[in-house]
DNA sequence: ATCTAAAATTGGATGTATCAGATTCGACGT
DNA sequence: ACGTCGAATCTGATACATCCAATTTTAGAT
């Protein structure tokens, strides 16, 4: 295979391929967050494999990923265990996302070009229309795009990978986050503040606005009681 | 196997077991950072397996971890590729560490008990002695312990996991970071500032001090030219 | 009843064969 | 010479058997 010369070219080569390990990981994460497995419960590879109708190979890959997210604790030769406090995990993940997304906004404010700012402005306008139309589906998509573009502007590949780890939680919780109209409106205001800071070339402002946005969202979700026994 | 009731108990159960996958991952990371594999070069599982004398199973696990770190980009069915710009990766990882360690310091400042503060003070005193004695080996160990204790105080398990991902880079670069005596002294001053902020119960101060510390270190290492072709 | 050592069990780790997706190459028709 | 299509090849993904580490259970001695 010829060697792609840029990470961005690699990105463009990405297919929509979703492996059994990917699907398994998503199902396990969802099951843990929904309380199918209790806090502290042991997760045995062979048992999970039988339960999910796959071999232990994708189970191992899935547990490794969930381990990096903090949702599972694995000990060599001893087994994997569900985190003790799922609600706390969601709050922890919110803090991590705030830190990582804040860093992305900081970098974006430092290096955004006029063209990139125009693209971001387009997303803001899309979100304004979605909010006015109360179109939650499109709002979710525009919301995701807004955050994604900031990461692209930041140009920090490792940051994007790391944020991708915790983004799963965002994708799971975002529909609920936007189901409350006042939260939706507030989210839009916060996105505008982030955008203005990036446009103004204000890294500290962009960082602070993004963190405040993610943290407000995290508090709202905690208050809504997302997680075990939902 | 009886189910451990707390994550901390799980931590205490940890053995020193190091799997073939663990060793393989460390060797691969080191080889990439030292320029054995060129930026953009394709990493083929079967080839690496033969080269390293193992099966593809631990190679897969290693590539998955390196992928989460941003050091490798993997495409399903297409292969894995070394990141294009290793020097940039180290800088990126520094930014991520600053954000994550800053968050840990923030949380530690919010919740540290008198006993925990005393433990941290003990580490500061150890570092003072190491610096005075110019004992780099013990300084490295005390440095690692200082950061580790802050994470334990923060009580954020996911944050600890995520920081653990990027900590590999810190463990690789720290000897060089502390080889310069003025950097060692400066590092101690910065640790003192972090400690004072945690002791004072000043979350913002602890966050800012920690970030400044990690970022100063990142800039120094970049200036030293760590990475490809070293 | 208690202690110790060996055996059995549990559960993760690895090797290897095979499957599956994507790309490259060669044959054939125009 | 060029385009198309199928075969071959490349490379990751998965299934499954086996290995290995750690824990639990059992048997025997005291």
């Amino acid at each position: 295979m010829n060697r792609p010369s840029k990470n961005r070219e690699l990105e463009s080569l990405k297919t929509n391929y979703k492996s059994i390990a990917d699907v398994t990981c998503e199902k396990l994460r969802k099951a843990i967050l929904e309380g199918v497995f209790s806090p502290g419960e042991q997760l045995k590879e062979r048992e999970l494999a039988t339960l999910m109708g796959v071999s232990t190979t994708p189970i191992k890959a899935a547990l490794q990923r969930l381990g990096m997210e903090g949702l599972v604790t694995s000990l060599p030769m001893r087994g994997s265990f569900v985190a003790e406090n799922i609600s706390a995990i969601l709050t922890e993940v919110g803090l991590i996302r705030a830190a990582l997304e804040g860093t992305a906004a900081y970098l974006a404010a430092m290096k955004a070009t006029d063209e990139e700012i125009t693209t971001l402005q387009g997303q803001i306008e899309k979100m304004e229309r979605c909010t006015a139309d109360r179109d939650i589906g499109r709002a979710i998509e525009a919301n995701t795009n807004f955050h994604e573009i900031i990461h692209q502007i930041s140009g920090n590949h490792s940051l994007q990978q790391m944020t991708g780890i915790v983004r799963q939680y965002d994708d799971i919780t975002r529909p609920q986050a936007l189901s409350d109209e006042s939260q939706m409106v507030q989210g839009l205001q916060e996105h505008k503040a982030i955008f203005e800071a990036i446009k103004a070339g204000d890294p500290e402002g962009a960082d602070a606005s993004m963190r405040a946005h993610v943290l407000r969202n995290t508090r709202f979700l905690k208050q809504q009681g997302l997680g075990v026994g939902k």
Side-chain angles (χ1 to χ4, degrees), chain A residues 41 50 89 94 198 206:
Chain A
E41 182 173 350
T50 302
I89 292 289
I198 292 175

Coordinates of all heavy atoms in Angstrom, one line a residue, chain A residues 41 50 89 94 198 206:
Chain A
E41 N -19.0 -5.1 39.7 CA -19.2 -6.5 39.2 C -18.0 -6.9 38.4 O -17.5 -6.2 37.6 CB -20.5 -6.5 38.5 CG -20.8 -7.9 37.9 CD -22.2 -8.0 37.3 OE1 -23.0 -7.0 37.4 OE2 -22.5 -9.0 36.7
T50 N -19.6 -15.4 25.5 CA -20.8 -16.2 25.2 C -22.1 -15.4 25.2 O -22.9 -15.5 24.3 CB -20.9 -17.3 26.4 OG1 -19.7 -18.1 26.4 CG2 -22.1 -18.2 26.2
I89 N -18.1 8.5 37.5 CA -17.3 8.4 36.3 C -17.8 9.4 35.3 O -17.0 10.1 34.6 CB -17.5 7.0 35.7 CG1 -16.8 5.9 36.5 CG2 -16.9 7.0 34.3 CD1 -15.3 6.0 36.5
G94 N -16.6 14.3 32.4 CA -17.0 15.7 32.1 C -15.8 16.6 32.4 O -15.5 17.5 31.6
I198 N -12.6 32.7 19.9 CA -11.7 32.2 18.8 C -11.6 33.3 17.7 O -10.4 33.5 17.3 CB -12.3 30.9 18.2 CG1 -12.2 29.8 19.3 CG2 -11.5 30.5 17.0 CD1 -12.9 28.5 18.8
A206 N -11.2 31.6 25.0 CA -11.8 30.4 24.3 C -11.7 29.2 25.3 O -12.7 28.5 25.4 CB -11.0 30.2 23.0

